[in-house]
Amino acid sequence: MSDDVQLLVYLALSLGVLLLIVLKFNINAAIALIFASLFMGIASGLGLMGTLGGITEGFGGMMGELGIPIGLGVILGKLISDSGGAYSIATSILNRSSEKLAFYSLGAASFVLAIPVFFDVAFIILVPLAVQIGKQLNKPLPYSVGSIIVGAAIAHTLVPPTPNPLASASIFGFDLGIMLVVGAIIGMVATLLTIKIYFIILDKGFWKAETDEDQAMENPYGSLDIPSNPPSALMALIPIILPSLMIVIGSFGNVFFEENPAIVSFLSHRIIALLVGTIAAYFVAAKSLNKQRRDNSSSEAMQVAGIVFLITGAGGAFGTIIQNTGIDEAIKNIFVSDAQTTISVLLVAFFMGVLFRTITGSGTVAGITTMTIMAGVVTGMDVHPVWVAMASLSGGLMLGHVNDSGFWITTKIAGLSMKGGLKTYTTSEAISGIVVLLITIIGAHIF
């Protein structure tokens, strides 16, 4: 057996260890990732201390780059959500929509909301609105629920400041503003296209209410705790738009200056941009939340961020261990032709993302691990790394199922059976991943 094949066998076994720990023993994915890292490092010859060093380096490096931005992003989103600003944004978008485009507007609202807040928060905020719209239009549940899933999943996967797109710039070494612009444009286009394709499938009788909906649940949608005087949609958008503009200005500065002036680099840095956005969110939230409630909201956000930190850091550790084994060269030698064509690299990134997402159930783990591996593969190739990042992330969108917390959140809150969850969450995200990949392939060959 060649060394390249042997490394891939060790990778497969480490994924088996990961799967066993998560599914058999029901242990958190972050802990499972550390075990998988230990197995991969020791088995591939990095040594005991070399493996520990790689884990420490990967975790610390990822947190050094992303710890503060992720924490700020979570606080920003929590304040917008708790103040009622997210609800204002959603209702504003929907109120400006015609009946014919209502579900597309719902998907667009979900896309916008999932940029600052996590997938599950955007889903919970929009479900009551979505169900009401579905009833008014006399359409089955998956039309409205599927629209929310598609928009939220794509935004969460492709648009900073969520962990994966935020990490992409650091891992591949390109400007974060590029990821923000590319992710936002492709994400919105992919959202609308995916909803259209998913509706075509639904129109052909894909949904069976008697088996796909949980008839035992009387009120699965819960109730929204919206303050009586939430900030307007325009005000609520300021904390989202402001840091995005700051980051993008830094990217444009590279066009006009050989080297960005220090003040431009400072203001466009992800930490400063998100700090400004978070401060703006505090002021916006003040309209409906007093100081105590804003402090409580921030504290609750940091509890959520702790889990995100652990999984993101552990994903970085696993990715670094894999990278230290030289598996990027093995992938080049086995899967990528001597010509190293753009499409072959993008497909490898995509299918690797699918593999990690299917096994771990975590899009964050899938994206970060795949991008870390592919960072070595694309070195010296005539393709901008943003496209490889997009391909990796599109794979991480695919095939979320019963080992994914998002699957159960959407299934139970929307009042679906497990079969219904597979027909909404799993199916719509699978279509999303393929659509994003196809747009990515086109983009990589044009730009």
Side-chain angles (χ1 to χ4, degrees):
M1 184 185 298
S2 70
D3 291 343
D4 290 340
V5 174
Q6 196 170 42
L7 279 177
L8 291 180
V9 170
Y10 290 146
L11 176 60
L13 290 174
S14 68
L15 293 176
V17 170
L18 182 63
L19 186 63
L20 179 68
I21 292 172
V22 172
L23 296 185
K24 179 69 174 176
F25 299 105
N26 199 28
I27 294 176
N28 186 274
I31 298 173
L33 280 165
I34 301 301
F35 274 106
S37 300
L38 288 168
F39 176 87
M40 182 68 187
I42 294 170
S44 58
L46 294 182
L48 297 177
M49 298 312 296
T51 299
L52 286 177
I55 291 172
T56 303
E57 176 193 347
F59 191 99
M62 189 64 72
M63 284 296 95
E65 289 280 349
L66 302 178
I68 294 175
I70 287 174
L72 291 171
V74 174
I75 294 172
L76 186 160
K78 181 70 170 164
L79 286 167
I80 292 175
S81 174
D82 288 354
S83 67
Y87 184 82
S88 296
I89 294 171
T91 52
S92 177
I93 292 174
L94 292 171
N95 288 340
R96 287 164 171 75
S97 170
S98 66
E99 185 174 295
K100 185 178 179 181
L101 298 176
F103 290 126
Y104 293 94
S105 298
L106 188 61
S110 181
F111 181 87
V112 172
L113 287 191
I115 293 173
V117 304
F118 286 120
F119 170 90
D120 54 349
V121 176
F123 185 86
I124 291 167
I125 289 171
L126 284 171
V127 158
L129 287 173
V131 172
Q132 186 60 39
I133 290 171
K135 288 179 178 178
Q136 288 177 355
L137 299 180
N138 196 28
K139 284 287 189 179
L141 202 53
Y143 285 86
S144 53
V145 172
S147 299
I148 302 173
I149 292 172
V150 170
I154 291 177
H156 185 84
T157 303
L158 302 183
V159 188
T162 48
N164 269 353
L166 196 62
S168 63
S170 299
I171 292 171
F172 286 102
F174 63 84
D175 195 295
L176 180 61
I178 295 174
M179 187 66 206
L180 199 156
V181 172
V182 172
I185 293 173
I186 290 181
M188 183 56 82
V189 172
T191 294
L192 300 177
L193 286 175
T194 300
I195 291 172
K196 177 64 176 177
I197 294 169
Y198 185 55
F199 285 179
I200 291 172
I201 295 173
L202 291 175
D203 289 342
K204 294 185 180 297
F206 182 61
W207 190 257
K208 306 293 181 186
E210 58 275 11
T211 59
D212 298 337
E213 297 177 25
D214 188 348
Q215 308 297 334
M217 297 186 71
E218 295 181 5
N219 180 30
Y221 316 113
S223 59
L224 281 175
D225 184 17
I226 303 299
S228 58
N229 57 334
S232 67
L234 185 60
M235 290 295 294
L237 280 170
I238 290 174
I240 303 172
I241 295 172
L242 194 55
S244 301
L245 285 176
M246 292 172 68
I247 292 170
V248 171
I249 286 171
S251 302
F252 282 121
N254 292 322
V255 176
F256 299 106
F257 302 102
E258 208 170 293
E259 184 177 345
N260 262 341
I263 186 64
V264 175
S265 297
F266 176 78
L267 291 175
S268 62
H269 192 279
R270 60 175 72 90
I271 291 177
I272 301 302
L274 284 166
L275 178 62
V276 170
T278 304
I279 292 171
Y282 265 100
F283 281 105
V284 169
K287 185 175 188 299
S288 57
L289 302 178
N290 60 30
K291 183 181 183 301
Q292 182 62 50
R293 291 182 66 188
R294 279 178 283 160
D295 289 344
N296 290 342
S297 183
S298 299
S299 298
E300 291 169 8
M302 290 314 298
Q303 293 175 20
V304 173
I307 301 297
V308 179
F309 290 153
L310 191 58
I311 291 179
T312 303
F318 188 40
T320 297
I321 288 294
I322 292 172
Q323 193 176 50
N324 287 352
T325 65
I327 202 168
D328 52 348
E329 288 298 324
I331 292 170
K332 277 186 184 180
N333 295 336
I334 295 174
F335 294 112
V336 183
S337 66
D338 292 337
Q340 294 185 19
T341 61
T342 296
I343 192 165
S344 63
V345 171
L346 296 180
L347 289 176
V348 167
F350 173 76
F351 285 112
M352 196 175 296
V354 173
L355 177 67
F356 281 113
R357 173 65 187 277
T358 306
I359 290 173
T360 68
S362 169
T364 301
V365 172
I368 289 175
T369 307
T370 303
M371 288 189 294
T372 304
I373 295 171
M374 294 305 297
V377 175
V378 299
T379 303
M381 286 198 61
D382 188 25
V383 56
H384 195 286
V386 70
W387 302 116
V388 184
M390 292 291 291
S392 303
L393 295 174
S394 67
L397 258 174
M398 297 281 291
L399 302 183
H401 56 95
V402 295
N403 65 344
D404 179 357
S405 61
F407 174 89
W408 293 112
I409 288 170
T410 56
T411 298
K412 294 305 178 185
I413 289 177
L416 308 176
S417 65
M418 191 174 82
K419 187 176 179 181
L422 292 170
K423 286 186 176 182
T424 51
Y425 186 83
T426 306
T427 302
S428 63
E429 285 197 349
I431 298 169
S432 300
I434 294 170
V435 169
V436 172
L437 174 66
L438 293 175
I439 297 174
T440 296
I441 291 172
I442 294 170
H445 283 86
I446 294 175
F447 300 103

